[in-house]
Amino acid sequence: MDERRHGERRQGTLPTVDRTGPDRRQGDRRARAGAGVVLAVASLTASSTPHRAYVDAPAQTMGTLDAPNVLAVGAEKPVTTAGPRPSLNSKFDVHIDDAVALHGVSRDLVRAIIQVESGFERRAVSPAGARGLMQLMPATARRFGVINRFDARQNIFGGTRYLRALLDHYQGDIPLTAAAYNAGAGSVARYNGIPPYKETQDYVRKVTALLDAAPQADDGDGGEGSKG
């Protein structure tokens, strides 16, 4: 190509316009900058609407759920001689309250699962690849519309929705629900109950202990102390 261009110049023809000069480089820079702006806007748009996917998605049934096989990462171990104590962490309460109101799950159960799973560490990661406050595996996150597992609101809504499906499947049985959340629904079905895994048995024990230790909500009748 270079020899042909030089030959044309020697014969008196007009020189070919070189498109590789400063003008083209400047155009390339503008194109790359424009692409960067488009990507940035797309990213901000996705993160600014974190819960549309799971609010609009249809209800899940156990027949379509992937067992998460989530392992507790042990970021917080509030176990004492008196047993586990409910965490005082209230940083994520607004998301928890919204999620339990939407899906009809006990607030104390969601907080207990978060405490045992991640110790309320938003960026917790388990060796198995579970992430976030409720330690969602990739397949489970996809099932419940969670795009960013480190996003506290998305993670809590997705985990709470999964708990709702488990509670429905096990007819409100908390130990079986906790066991399935930890070891997977397949393992619970295989053993027809809580699997004989030390990890899972400890997990169920911690969750139920936290529920037992949680302050009981006032049922509105004033309690026995108001009588007489």
Side-chain angles (χ1 to χ4, degrees):
M1 181 62 75
D2 289 341
E3 292 178 358
R4 190 169 113 184
R5 195 159 52 238
H6 291 317
E8 290 173 349
R9 290 196 186 108
R10 283 197 298 270
Q11 294 171 11
T13 59
L14 291 175
T16 303
V17 177
D18 184 3
R19 297 296 184 184
T20 63
D23 291 341
R24 180 171 179 178
R25 287 196 296 272
Q26 185 175 2
D28 290 343
R29 285 195 295 271
R30 286 198 297 267
R32 286 194 297 270
V37 170
V38 171
L39 290 173
V41 170
S43 175
L44 287 172
T45 301
S47 62
S48 65
T49 57
H51 56 280
R52 292 305 310 166
Y54 51 69
V55 169
D56 295 337
Q60 301 293 314
T61 63
M62 288 304 299
T64 61
L65 290 177
D66 291 327
N69 291 318
V70 177
L71 299 179
V73 296
E76 178 184 2
K77 296 181 179 179
V79 180
T80 66
T81 54
R85 293 176 297 178
S87 173
L88 299 178
N89 191 314
S90 60
K91 181 178 180 180
F92 307 107
D93 278 355
V94 62
H95 307 314
I96 295 172
D97 290 344
D98 289 346
V100 301
L102 179 63
H103 297 299
V105 178
S106 163
R107 183 177 187 271
D108 290 335
L109 176 60
V110 173
R111 287 184 61 84
I113 293 291
I114 293 175
Q115 185 167 337
V116 177
E117 287 289 348
S118 67
F120 286 86
E121 174 52 56
R122 181 176 66 85
R123 300 192 68 83
V125 178
S126 80
R131 293 185 175 186
L133 290 164
M134 299 189 75
Q135 289 290 277
L136 300 180
M137 293 292 282
T140 304
R142 287 192 298 270
R143 288 286 183 185
F144 296 104
V146 178
I147 299 170
N148 179 2
R149 288 180 287 163
F150 288 137
D151 181 287
R153 187 172 182 84
Q154 289 188 51
N155 192 287
I156 290 171
F157 268 76
T160 302
R161 191 176 178 194
Y162 183 62
L163 280 175
R164 176 72 271 163
L166 291 173
L167 286 165
D168 290 344
H169 182 69
Y170 297 114
Q171 300 180 337
D173 189 300
I174 298 297
L176 289 181
T177 294
Y181 196 99
N182 175 259
S187 295
V188 174
R190 186 179 307 118
Y191 292 100
N192 195 30
I194 299 173
Y197 311 144
K198 184 179 186 303
E199 168 70 30
T200 301
Q201 292 178 348
D202 288 346
Y203 183 93
V204 172
R205 177 182 58 80
K206 290 177 182 178
V207 169
T208 54
L210 285 167
L211 290 174
D212 290 341
Q216 298 300 309
D218 187 356
D219 59 10
D221 64 3
E224 292 183 358
S226 63
K227 296 178 181 180

